[in-house]
Amino acid sequence: MSRSKLQIRNLHKSYASGTGEVVALKEVNLDVKRGEFLSIIGTSGCGKTTLIRLIAGLSNHYQGSIRLNGRSIVGPDLDRGMVFQEHRLFPWLTVEENIALALNGKRSADKGALVREHLDLVGLLGFEKAYPHQLSGGMAQRVAIARALINRPEVLLLDEPLGALDALTRMNMQQELASLWEKEAITMILVTHDIEEALFLSDRIAIMSSRPGTIRKVIDVPLLRPRHRASHNFVTLKEEVMKEFHIEAAETPQDSYEI
C-alpha cells in the first residue's frame, strides 16, 4: 500500500489580472507522506500560498488533481486544518470561545472537554477567559493552532504562521510546533521563507521555482531530532539549501536565512 497521504498531479493555476492571464502554478507534482512534516519554500510570489490554499480547498478553480487519501479535494473540510500568518481570532470572544467556535455541531459538554484538552496541548491552560488583546503574539498563534487541531484533522496546513513574530518568540514557537507534531503524529505542511525554520522542523523540503511556480527539487532532511542549529550537519545542509537560491553563506548575516 502507498504511504502517500496527499497526491498532487499536474496542478495548474492561473488567474485574470488587469494585464491579462497570470500563471501562478504550472505542472506541480508532489506526494506528501502519511505523518511527515513537509516544508514548502521559495521566493516571494512563487505561488507557495496559492498552493497551500488549494490544498485547503479555499479555491477550486484549477487544472490537475489534488487528492487526500484517494479522494479529490473539492472544498474546505474538517480533514484539513489551516493556520494563517495572522491568528485571525475574534477579538470579542475569549480564548475558549474562539477555540470552541470550530466545534459546530458538538454537544456543550463535549466542547468544554475538547477545548481544555487542546489548551493543555498548546500550553495555555489558565488563559481560557483571556481575550486576544491580552495575549502575546506567540500565545495568540497557539490559540489559532489549537483551534485548527481541535477537529482532529488528518493534515495541518501552516501558511507562514510564525512570520510576524519576533526572532526569540519564533524560535520558541518552532520548538512548540516540533513537539506538537511528535505528540499528535499528524501530517503537517508548512509554507515558510525561512530556510533554518524549514530545516529545524521538516522531514523533507520542497523547493519551488519562481513564477509560474513548480516543485523543482525535494530535499530530504536526515537530521536526528531534537535538532541543534549549530551542529555541523545542520549548517552543512543549510548551506546546501541556500545554494539552491544562489546564496552563499559568506554573503548572509548569521541570524538571517530568509529568502
Side-chain angles (χ1 to χ4, degrees):
M1 175 183 285
S2 170
R3 291 183 62 233
S4 294
K5 173 178 282 287
L6 181 74
Q7 293 182 325
I8 300 172
R9 295 289 181 268
N10 302 318
L11 181 64
H12 182 96
K13 170 68 177 176
S14 61
Y15 57 89
S17 72
T19 57
E21 183 184 58
V22 174
V23 179
L25 300 171
K26 184 178 181 181
E27 296 298 316
V28 173
N29 290 280
L30 183 66
D31 286 348
V32 182
K33 300 172 186 175
R34 194 176 305 276
E36 83 168 318
F37 199 124
L38 176 85
S39 287
I40 301 171
I41 66 174
T43 55
S44 295
C46 72
K48 302 184 300 297
T49 291
T50 298
L51 177 56
I52 205 166
R53 286 177 63 85
L54 288 171
I55 296 170
L58 298 176
S59 175
N60 291 326
H61 303 291
Y62 63 87
Q63 293 81 50
S65 67
I66 310 173
R67 294 180 179 274
L68 180 61
N69 295 327
R71 302 189 305 273
S72 293
I73 290 176
V74 294
D77 196 279
L78 295 180
D79 58 10
R80 281 152 284 136
M82 182 83 171
V83 181
F84 300 90
Q85 184 169 354
E86 311 84 18
H87 56 71
R88 301 197 179 186
L89 303 179
F90 292 103
W92 58 87
L93 298 180
T94 63
V95 164
E96 63 183 356
E97 289 169 340
N98 267 287
I99 296 174
L101 201 62
L103 289 171
N104 287 332
K106 292 276 188 183
R107 296 185 308 164
S108 295
D110 295 334
K111 283 184 179 182
L114 281 169
V115 168
R116 285 191 297 275
E117 176 187 343
H118 284 78
L119 281 169
D120 186 28
L121 183 66
V122 298
L124 287 177
L125 276 178
F127 290 89
E128 296 88 345
K129 304 300 182 183
Y131 287 90
H133 74 273
Q134 298 172 311
L135 306 175
S136 68
M139 291 169 72
Q141 279 298 62
R142 288 195 217 173
V143 177
I145 292 168
R147 183 176 59 188
L149 285 172
I150 200 165
N151 282 301
R152 307 287 189 188
E154 296 187 47
V155 180
L156 183 63
L157 304 168
L158 303 147
D159 186 11
E160 298 193 62
L162 312 182
L165 304 178
D166 65 83
L168 290 177
T169 303
R170 184 168 185 163
M171 291 177 72
N172 286 330
M173 285 297 296
Q174 288 165 2
Q175 293 176 327
E176 295 283 349
L177 271 179
S179 296
L180 273 174
W181 173 74
E182 291 184 359
K183 287 178 187 175
E184 294 295 286
I186 187 174
T187 305
M188 291 192 183
I189 303 174
L190 169 72
V191 162
T192 181
H193 281 97
D194 190 321
I195 292 172
E196 192 168 280
E197 180 170 272
L199 287 168
F200 185 76
L201 291 168
S202 307
D203 296 310
R204 295 187 301 150
I205 298 173
I207 297 175
M208 291 190 68
S209 66
S210 300
R211 196 174 68 199
T214 192
I215 305 297
R216 63 181 176 85
K217 189 170 186 177
V218 178
I219 294 177
D220 289 325
V221 185
L223 302 174
L224 297 177
R225 301 175 189 271
R227 292 177 178 168
H228 304 283
R229 302 168 199 264
S231 72
H232 173 76
N233 289 340
F234 192 101
V235 172
T236 299
L237 192 53
K238 178 167 61 180
E239 291 177 355
E240 178 185 331
V241 177
M242 289 166 62
K243 287 178 181 177
E244 292 292 327
F245 297 95
H246 308 292
I247 302 170
E248 296 296 332
E251 300 173 358
T252 310
Q254 290 303 300
D255 60 349
S256 175
Y257 293 96
E258 294 194 2
I259 52 175

